[in-house]
C-alpha cells in the first residue's frame, strides 16, 4: 500500500483516503433516498479491507450525521483506522472555549477519545481571529485530544500565517485540505501547492473526481443524469458536458490501455503530483473498491502529460 506522511507529523496514512461528505447529507447527495446506512457501512468495510483506512469527515456534514455514522462503523471492526474531522468557524464562536466544545461534540459522535487530524473547515476570522483559533487547536494537541492540526480552503498567505502561529506553540501544521482535481487545478497557479511544499504541509484533495464528472459516467454520449443538487450545476448541463468530452475521451483511452477505470486514472494523476492525498467519496462497496484501485500502479509520463494538456483550461 502506498502511504504518505501528513506534513512533519508522525501520522502516516494511505496515499488515498475516503471523504464522507455524502454520509448523512440529504440535500446535496440525497442520503436516505438514493443510498442508505447499509450501503455506507459496506463502503466503510470495503475500504478498510482494501487498505484504505483514512476517513475524512466534518461536524457540518449532515449536521453531525456523517460523524455519527462513522462512529458506529468504527465500533464494528477491530482494525486501525485514521480519522480526520473539521471544526466550522461559525460567527458566534468567538473564543477558544467554542473550539473545545465543538471537538468534544465531534469526539462524542465519533465515539473516540482522540482524533488523528483536526482541521479548520474555512479560514473565517469573524470575532475569534486566527491567533486565538490556532492557540485553541495547539491546546488540544497538548491535552492529547488531537494528534495533528490541519486547515482547509486556506490561501497561500493564510497557510503561512497559520503555520507561523502554530510554530510558536511547537505544533506543526499537517495539511491544507483544498479542492483539487483535473477539473480544479487552481492551486497549481495561486501559490497554494508551492507554499505547501515549501512549508512541508500535505495537500488533502477534496472533490478529486469533480463530483463524478471524472468517472466517465456523465458525458454527452451517456444518458446518466446527476442526482441531488448536482442537477442544477451548469457543469452537468449539455453545454458543460460538451466542454468535458475531450477530457472524458482521454480518461477512457488511458484507462483502457492501463486496464483501469477513468476514475482510477484521475485519482492516480493526483497521487503522481506528489505531496497530495486525494479523498474521493464512496457511497457503496463498489465505489470504495474502485477508489482503492487507483493505488499500486503509475501512469507513464506521456499519459500524465496528456491529461495535464487536455485539462489546461481548468488550471
Amino acid at each position: 500500500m502506498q502511504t504518505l506522511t501528513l506534513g512533519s507529523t508522525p501520522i502516516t496514512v494511505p496515499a488515498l483516503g475516503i471523504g464522507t461528505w455524502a454520509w448523512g447529507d440529504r440535500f446535496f447527495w440525497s442520503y436516505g433516498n438514493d443510498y442508505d446506512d447499509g450501503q455506507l457501512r459496506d463502503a466503510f468495510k470495503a475500504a478498510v479491507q482494501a487498505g484504505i483506512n483514512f476517513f475524512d469527515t466534518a461536524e457540518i456534514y449532515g449536521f453531525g450525521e456523517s460523524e455519527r455514522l462513522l462512529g458506529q462503523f468504527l465500533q464494528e471492526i477491530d482494525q486501525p483506522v485514521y480519522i480526520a474531522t473539521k471544526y466550522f468557524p461559525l460567527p458566534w464562536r468567538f473564543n477558544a472555549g467554542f473550539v473545545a466544545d465543538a471537538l468534544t461534540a465531534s469526539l462524542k459522535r465519533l465515539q473516540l477519545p482522540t482524533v488523528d487530524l483536526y482541521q479548520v473547515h474555512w479560514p473565517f476570522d469573524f470575532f475569534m481571529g486566527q491567533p486565538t483559533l490556532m492557540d485553541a487547536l495547539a491546546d488540544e494537541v497538548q491535552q492529547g485530544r488531537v494528534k495533528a492540526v490541519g486547515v482547509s480552503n486556506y490561501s497561500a498567505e493564510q497557510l503561512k500565517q497559520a503555520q507561523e502561529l502554530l510554530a510558536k506553540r511547537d505544533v506543526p501544521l499537517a495539511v491544507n485540505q483544498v479542492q483539487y482535481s483535473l477539473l480544479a487545478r487552481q492551486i497549481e497557479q495561486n501559490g497554494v501547492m508551492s507554499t505547501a511544499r515549501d512549508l512541508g504541509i500535505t495537500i488533502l484533495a477534496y472533490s478529486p473526481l469533480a463530483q463524478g464528472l471524472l468517472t466517465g459516467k456523465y458525458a454527452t454520449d451517456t444518458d446518466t443524469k446527476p442526482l441531488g443538487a448536482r442537477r442544477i450545476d451548469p457543469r452537468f448541463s449539455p453545454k458543460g458536458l460538451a466542454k468535458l468530452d475531450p477530457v472524458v475521451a482521454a480518461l477512457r483511452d488511458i484507462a483502457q490501455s492501463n486496464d483501469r477505470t477513468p476514475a482510477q486514472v484521475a485519482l492516480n494523476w493526483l497521487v503522481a503530483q506528489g505531496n497530495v492525498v486525494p479523498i474521493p467519496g464512496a457511497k457503496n462497496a463498489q465505489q470504495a473498491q474502485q477508489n482503492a484501485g487507483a493505488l499500486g500502479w503509475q501512469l507513464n509520463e506521456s499519459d500524465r502529460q496528456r491529461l495535464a494538456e487536455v485539462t489546461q483550461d481548468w488550471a
Side-chain angles (χ1 to χ4, degrees):
M1 176 61 63
Q2 294 170 251
T3 61
L4 196 146
T5 299
L6 300 182
S8 58
T9 75
I11 300 174
T12 298
V13 300
L16 183 143
I18 297 291
T20 64
W21 174 20
W23 294 19
D25 182 277
R26 296 182 185 276
F27 169 69
F28 194 94
W29 293 106
S30 299
Y31 162 74
N33 293 323
D34 304 321
Y35 58 99
D36 57 22
D37 294 1
Q39 289 166 294
L40 295 178
R41 178 179 284 105
D42 290 343
F44 173 79
K45 292 182 176 179
V48 174
Q49 288 170 3
I52 308 300
N53 63 346
F54 176 43
F55 294 82
D56 176 84
T57 184
E59 63 170 343
I60 203 70
Y61 293 168
F63 299 103
E65 187 65 15
S66 176
E67 289 180 329
R68 281 189 287 270
L69 288 169
L70 197 48
Q72 292 173 18
F73 302 159
L74 286 168
Q75 302 306 307
E76 299 171 5
I77 65 169
D78 187 23
Q79 294 168 266
V81 174
Y82 296 94
I83 300 296
T85 192
K86 293 183 280 296
Y87 163 85
F88 201 92
L90 295 163
W92 55 86
R93 289 177 165 175
F94 53 82
N95 63 44
F98 286 94
V99 176
D101 291 346
L103 176 59
T104 297
S106 285
L107 291 174
K108 183 177 180 180
R109 288 188 290 267
L110 288 165
Q111 301 184 54
L112 292 172
T114 185
V115 69
D116 297 293
L117 176 64
Y118 198 46
Q119 305 154 95
V120 182
H121 209 143
W122 286 92
F124 302 144
D125 279 324
F126 295 119
F127 305 108
M128 184 181 296
Q130 291 294 312
T132 299
L133 177 55
M134 294 302 151
D135 259 343
L137 295 170
D139 287 343
E140 294 298 345
V141 172
Q142 294 177 353
Q143 291 169 18
R145 297 207 300 170
V146 169
K147 294 181 182 178
V149 171
V151 294
S152 183
N153 300 298
Y154 274 48
S155 69
E157 287 305 313
Q158 291 164 337
L159 201 55
K160 292 176 185 176
Q161 181 191 26
Q163 191 268 347
E164 290 170 358
L165 290 169
L166 288 170
K168 293 178 181 179
R169 297 287 303 276
D170 295 321
V171 174
L173 179 57
V175 308
N176 186 18
Q177 183 175 151
V178 293
Q179 183 175 186
Y180 186 34
S181 74
L182 282 164
L183 299 184
R185 297 174 52 195
Q186 292 84 357
I187 69 166
E188 298 171 10
Q189 307 296 330
N190 63 17
V192 168
M193 177 172 274
S194 59
T195 298
R197 284 175 174 158
D198 291 344
L199 298 178
I201 297 166
T202 301
I203 293 291
L204 294 191
Y206 72 77
S207 294
L209 296 176
Q211 297 173 13
L213 285 168
L214 292 169
T215 64
K217 183 177 179 181
Y218 306 102
T220 56
D221 62 355
T222 71
D223 294 325
T224 306
K225 304 298 181 184
L227 301 172
R230 288 180 293 174
R231 287 176 295 185
I232 60 173
D233 187 329
R235 296 179 303 170
F236 290 87
S237 69
K239 183 178 179 180
L241 293 178
K243 180 182 179 181
L244 190 64
D245 274 345
V247 179
V248 173
L251 285 170
R252 288 173 176 172
D253 185 37
I254 294 170
Q256 185 175 14
S257 64
N258 285 275
D259 195 24
R260 299 288 170 172
T261 68
Q264 290 168 343
V265 170
L267 293 172
N268 191 279
W269 185 89
L270 283 174
V271 173
Q273 305 312 302
N275 197 44
V276 175
V277 178
I279 48 172
K283 293 181 288 185
N284 54 56
Q286 183 181 9
Q287 290 178 352
Q289 291 161 352
Q290 176 174 253
N291 290 343
L295 300 182
W297 60 286
Q298 288 185 333
L299 288 167
N300 61 43
E301 179 59 32
S302 175
D303 287 341
R304 290 199 298 269
Q305 185 60 36
R306 180 181 175 187
L307 289 172
E309 290 174 357
V310 79
T311 59
Q312 191 59 45
D313 287 347
W314 287 271

